[in-house]
Amino acid sequence: MAEKRQNVKINYLSRDFTSIKNQLVEHARRYYPDTFRDFSDAGFGALMIDAVSYIGDVLSFYVDYQANESFLSTAIEYDNIIKHGDAVGFKYDNIRATYGQVNLYVKIPANSSNTGPDLTYAPKLRAGSTFSATNGSLFTLLEDVDFFDSTNEVVVATTNASTGIPVQYAIKTIGQVVSGELREKEFEIGNFSRFTTLTIQDTNVTEIISVFDSEGRQYYEVDHLSQNTIYIPINNSDTTTNVQAPTIIKPFIVPRRFVKRRLGNSTEITFGYGSDSQLDTPSLAEARDLVLNLHSKTYVTDKAMDPTILIKGDKFGVGPSNTTLRVTYRSNTKQNSNATSNSVNQISAPVFQFLNPDTLVSTTAATVRGSLEVTNPDPIQGDVSAPTTRELRELISGAHSAQNRAVTAEDFKTLVLSMPAKFGGIKRCAVIQDVDSNLRNINIYVVNQNNAGTFETTNTILKENIKTWLNTKRMINDSVDILDAKVVNLAIRFSAIVTNNESKSVVYSRIQSRMNKYFSEKLDIGESFSITDLYSLINRTQGVIDAIFVEVFQQTGPGYATTKFNVKNNTTPDGRMIIAPKNVVFEVKFPQRDIKGTLT
């Protein structure tokens, strides 16, 4: 009878190829001394041990990799970080629209009495009219612009050469535009299915405008399918109050709804799985329909009520079936949709409306249409670059702690940086409590990014959008101001010693390349500038023996920020750090030009 072998002790700490192989060889020597004796590298046994060690090493790698990707703080895959954000309600949009203002001009004829412009020819330019920038970006008018408005600026455009009597008047007005153009896509929907999902194969979708079926019924976008209430503005017909409140916000129940999700180079919209037969709720939310369950009990249990869920349901909305869905969406025509000053100057597709077109002379009306001109006096810009993995982690962490409301400074910062794409986006933000204010005012400093990737002042429209967005989240007694952060442009001089066997030009190119990469990630507002990091960067460059000195000073002049800043007074006594005030952001604007050095 064979002797029963004792339990084998296994070392579970072996995870890499070498340690696994050593443990397998030791295992074979100890437990199989009679059957396995060939431990040479060329033997068949060594081949088998190497193969098992290789497999063990690969499996250990993937176990560690999967464990790291399971946590937000250690995940490195961009898509996995986004999924962590989905789990905590973070809305990710890597394609953002940019907002701005344009000046619009038309010429209209003088009236018959030569006392002013003939305003019967003053048109209304309808929302949806499009204009082009010199870089190819398309911009769409957000709201109707009325040239008939008495507040518009009117000047004489042309006069009769002999009499000097005005012949045409130029009218100037202002309109708000957003980058991108409206596009439509139709989807044929067959038999009913749960959670119908449609995919829009467009890489630059910024916003879903509307979804209608062939019967004319609209589907509304919500944050999550369990949300069945949205807020719709209704025109205020009360003439005594409509000046300050032109619309009245009403809650509406939307059984037909969808959620949008960005996936790589496409956009998905997903519907619920209810049917029309289960649709028995009114459109306007009533107080009696709130989330209160009264059955046989004579009391109501206190519950935390979500104001976005006014009626309970378990079908997540009505899904489409046996119909055609027409999806209207906005898509940027360029990946970079920023526009410099006066670059939006081309008319693409204007839509005019005259008050009484039948009474107008057609040729004169055509001349008015053809006289339309457009320009943008200020830059139209936004955060056109997708957040890095580090930035994305911070945004998700902040969104998780903010819980859709703004209480702490970090809450405000997270909400501003994660503002919906339809409002635009900024590059950097800092939130500071104004201790000198009696109202405990909160100052939010923002700065934007232009086409070249350098800091630029945020325009008024984008600031207004930030204010509107925060008004839905802030505490009622919080007073918030949106201010411009002060940009300080820095320049660097350095000197280093190079090894004898290295070309100075090659080493200088290496240092310059490392500097460019280092400064490609912008500093945050209020973040100090580390001189120590520059010493370390130079010293770690191949071919450098030692960095002799690094000098940092402010760069001024044409093309640079005008902020006055004393670098010497704000440098720490040990010379390691330049301290930034809370509303200042440092930037090396042009690394190729602003970084100079000598090598010996």
Side-chain angles (χ1 to χ4, degrees):
M1 184 174 181
E3 184 180 353
K4 186 177 181 180
R5 187 157 57 92
Q6 295 179 351
N7 292 333
V8 179
K9 294 183 179 180
I10 301 176
N11 184 1
Y12 292 99
L13 300 179
S14 300
R15 302 176 62 84
D16 61 278
F17 179 87
T18 302
S19 61
I20 293 175
K21 179 178 179 180
N22 292 337
Q23 288 295 326
L24 287 175
V25 171
E26 181 63 26
H27 184 82
R29 290 180 186 276
R30 177 176 300 179
Y31 296 105
Y32 302 97
D34 297 329
T35 56
F36 189 83
R37 299 177 179 176
D38 185 6
F39 293 98
S40 63
D41 292 339
F44 178 75
L47 171 63
M48 297 302 298
I49 289 178
D50 284 350
V52 173
S53 302
Y54 176 85
I55 295 172
D57 195 356
V58 172
L59 292 177
S60 295
F61 168 79
Y62 280 108
V63 167
D64 292 342
Y65 185 81
Q66 292 298 327
N68 288 335
E69 293 298 307
S70 299
F71 299 94
L72 175 63
S73 59
T74 54
I76 58 175
E77 289 285 347
Y78 206 84
D79 289 343
N80 289 339
I81 297 176
I82 293 174
K83 291 176 182 177
H84 284 294
D86 290 340
V88 298
F90 175 78
K91 298 298 181 182
Y92 170 74
D93 285 297
N94 65 330
I95 303 297
R96 291 181 177 268
T98 55
Y99 290 76
Q101 284 184 339
V102 293
N103 292 341
L104 298 162
Y105 308 86
V106 293
K107 296 177 182 179
I108 64 173
N111 57 29
S112 57
S113 60
N114 293 324
T115 58
D118 187 353
L119 293 179
T120 59
Y121 284 94
K124 179 182 289 185
L125 191 63
R126 299 302 303 270
S129 301
T130 55
F131 316 101
S132 298
T134 53
N135 65 355
S137 296
L138 202 67
F139 293 87
T140 302
L141 191 65
L142 283 174
E143 298 177 347
D144 293 349
V145 173
D146 195 352
F147 287 95
F148 188 85
D149 194 327
S150 59
T151 61
N152 291 334
E153 183 180 345
V154 181
V155 297
V156 175
T158 60
T159 60
N160 187 300
S162 58
T163 64
I165 296 175
V167 176
Q168 287 182 314
Y169 288 85
I171 302 179
K172 171 190 173 183
T173 187
I174 297 174
Q176 295 186 11
V177 295
V178 59
S179 65
E181 63 178 342
L182 297 183
R183 298 177 180 176
E184 287 188 355
K185 186 174 181 61
E186 291 190 348
F187 296 89
E188 294 292 335
I189 308 298
N191 294 331
F192 176 80
S193 63
R194 297 162 60 93
F195 296 114
T196 300
T197 300
L198 307 177
T199 302
I200 302 175
Q201 298 292 348
D202 190 324
T203 58
N204 293 327
V205 176
T206 60
E207 183 181 6
I208 302 295
I209 303 298
S210 64
V211 177
F212 284 90
D213 61 18
S214 53
E215 289 75 28
R217 297 172 298 196
Q218 185 173 2
Y219 292 77
Y220 296 88
E221 182 179 352
V222 292
D223 290 334
H224 46 84
L225 287 176
S226 60
Q227 174 188 340
N228 60 8
T229 303
I230 63 172
Y231 295 90
I232 297 179
I234 300 176
N235 290 333
N236 184 3
S237 59
D238 186 351
T239 58
T240 62
T241 62
N242 61 11
V243 174
Q244 294 185 3
T247 59
I248 302 173
I249 303 299
K250 291 287 186 179
F252 273 79
I253 296 169
V254 285
R256 293 183 175 87
R257 54 189 184 266
F258 66 91
V259 292
K260 181 192 74 171
R261 187 185 181 194
R262 183 79 188 181
L263 293 175
N265 292 327
S266 63
T267 300
E268 284 188 353
I269 54 178
T270 303
F271 303 85
Y273 68 95
S275 62
D276 284 338
S277 61
Q278 298 164 324
L279 182 59
D280 57 0
T281 59
S283 59
L284 186 63
E286 300 289 348
R288 63 177 178 268
D289 296 323
L290 297 179
V291 188
L292 300 176
N293 293 333
L294 286 174
H295 299 297
S296 59
K297 295 188 295 184
T298 58
Y299 61 90
V300 177
T301 302
D302 184 19
K303 293 185 177 181
M305 191 189 81
D306 184 349
T308 63
I309 306 176
L310 296 184
I311 290 183
K312 280 194 170 181
D314 59 352
K315 302 301 181 185
F316 303 107
V318 175
S321 62
N322 300 315
T323 188
T324 300
L325 289 182
R326 186 178 72 256
V327 180
T328 304
Y329 62 94
R330 181 176 286 114
S331 176
N332 281 342
T333 52
K334 290 286 185 179
Q335 189 70 29
N336 188 338
S337 55
N338 287 342
T340 57
S341 301
N342 301 315
S343 63
V344 182
N345 51 22
Q346 302 173 30
I347 309 298
S348 297
V351 181
F352 288 95
Q353 179 183 354
F354 292 92
L355 184 61
N356 296 303
D358 296 336
T359 64
L360 305 180
V361 179
S362 59
T363 54
T364 305
T367 302
V368 172
R369 293 190 188 96
S371 68
L372 179 65
E373 295 182 7
V374 62
T375 187
N376 59 312
D378 298 318
I380 299 176
Q381 83 278 336
D383 183 9
V384 296
S385 60
T388 63
T389 54
R390 179 182 175 184
E391 293 172 341
L392 199 56
R393 287 195 194 98
E394 295 299 326
L395 290 174
I396 293 172
S397 298
H400 183 228
S401 61
Q403 297 180 356
N404 206 33
R405 87 285 186 260
V407 177
T408 68
E410 288 301 316
D411 293 343
F412 276 100
K413 184 174 181 178
T414 299
L415 289 171
V416 171
L417 293 177
S418 60
M419 186 171 62
K422 62 182 179 181
F423 286 162
I426 63 169
K427 188 62 178 177
R428 291 288 184 263
C429 166
V431 181
I432 302 172
Q433 180 76 53
D434 189 352
V435 295
D436 297 327
S437 172
N438 293 330
L439 300 176
R440 298 174 60 203
N441 195 63
I442 298 173
N443 294 334
I444 299 181
Y445 293 93
V446 295
V447 67
N448 222 313
Q449 187 182 44
N450 60 20
N451 293 345
T454 59
F455 286 141
E456 188 173 63
T457 303
T458 305
N459 63 26
T460 303
I461 295 297
L462 193 49
K463 291 177 185 174
E464 288 295 328
N465 287 345
I466 295 171
K467 184 178 179 180
T468 301
W469 169 242
L470 290 179
N471 280 341
T472 65
K473 315 291 181 183
R474 67 178 178 86
M475 306 297 285
I476 193 171
N477 60 339
D478 282 341
S479 175
V480 179
D481 285 335
I482 312 296
L483 305 172
D484 289 319
K486 296 180 179 180
V487 179
V488 174
N489 295 130
L490 299 178
I492 300 168
R493 290 197 194 99
F494 68 89
S495 179
I497 302 174
V498 181
T499 57
N500 294 330
N501 59 344
E502 289 279 2
S503 168
K504 293 182 180 179
S505 60
V506 172
V507 175
Y508 188 88
S509 177
R510 292 173 186 164
I511 296 174
Q512 188 72 45
S513 177
R514 289 171 62 87
M515 289 277 192
N516 291 344
K517 184 177 179 180
Y518 178 81
F519 290 111
S520 63
E521 185 170 342
K522 300 295 183 180
L523 296 177
D524 205 352
I525 300 173
E527 182 178 354
S528 298
F529 188 94
S530 175
I531 301 176
T532 302
D533 287 351
L534 299 183
Y535 275 100
S536 299
L537 185 147
I538 296 172
N539 285 328
R540 290 199 303 267
T541 303
Q542 180 182 348
V544 173
I545 297 177
D546 189 27
I548 301 175
F549 75 87
V550 174
E551 180 186 0
V552 181
F553 57 93
Q554 185 178 7
Q555 186 73 291
T556 58
Y560 294 96
T562 58
T563 304
K564 294 182 179 180
F565 184 81
N566 193 314
V567 174
K568 183 178 180 181
N569 290 347
N570 287 275
T571 302
T572 57
D574 57 9
R576 296 175 179 269
M577 197 81 65
I578 302 174
I579 304 300
K582 294 181 179 179
N583 63 340
V584 167
V585 58
F586 292 130
E587 176 190 35
V588 178
K589 191 169 186 177
F590 306 112
Q592 292 284 357
R593 183 199 310 171
D594 298 336
I595 301 176
K596 297 180 180 179
T598 57
L599 301 180
T600 57

